[in-house]
Amino acid sequence: MAQYLLSVYQPDGPAPAPEFLEPIMRDVEALNREMEEAGAWVFGAGLHPAEAATVVRQQGSEVLITDGPFAEAKEHLGGFTVIEAADLDAALGWAEKLARATTLPIEVRPVQH
């Protein structure tokens, strides 16, 4: 079985109001349980807002440390799930369910070992 990273991209800005976010989180938790029961779920987590990021970058012989996300954008990586799936089609099936649960775009990428 191959592993795939399902990246959840969310818009910048404040978190949605609880009445909007609570049903989404309930659906995500139910999907996580479904993936666990199917033997697909490996690991997943939500992330703090993009402004909490720190970037470490080599520039010549120096290492620079800067606050903020790597790139300025209207969306940022808000969370991720690592799954095991037989193939890309199976991974896309889980990503479709995650997109429906989160109402957000999901990027699917194979994990390189």
Side-chain angles (χ1 to χ4, degrees), residues 14-33:
E19 62 270 12
F20 181 75
L21 189 57
E22 286 172 6
I24 290 172
M25 294 312 298
R26 187 175 52 247
D27 290 348
V28 169
E29 289 171 14
L31 178 58
N32 286 343
R33 283 192 302 277

Side-chain angles (χ1 to χ4, degrees), residues 28-100:
V28 169
E29 289 171 14
L31 178 58
N32 286 343
R33 283 192 302 277
E34 181 183 348
M35 287 190 282
E36 284 183 59
E37 291 168 3
W41 193 84
V42 176
F43 178 76
L47 300 172
H48 286 278
E51 59 266 10
T54 304
V55 178
V56 180
R57 173 188 341 244
Q58 181 176 344
Q59 189 169 20
S61 62
E62 302 284 322
V63 174
L64 302 177
I65 299 174
T66 56
D67 292 335
F70 173 72
E72 295 294 325
K74 294 181 181 181
E75 295 180 322
H76 64 272
L77 180 62
F80 64 92
T81 301
V82 176
I83 62 167
E84 288 188 340
D87 54 31
L88 179 59
D89 288 337
L92 292 173
W94 288 115
E96 180 180 335
K97 289 182 178 190
L98 187 56
R100 290 180 190 277

Side-chain angles (χ1 to χ4, degrees), residues 1 6-7 9 23-24 29 35 44 46 85 92 99-101 109 113:
M1 293 266 255
L6 309 182
S7 301
Y9 286 91
I24 290 172
E29 289 171 14
M35 287 190 282
L92 292 173
R100 290 180 190 277
R109 293 177 75 182
H113 291 282

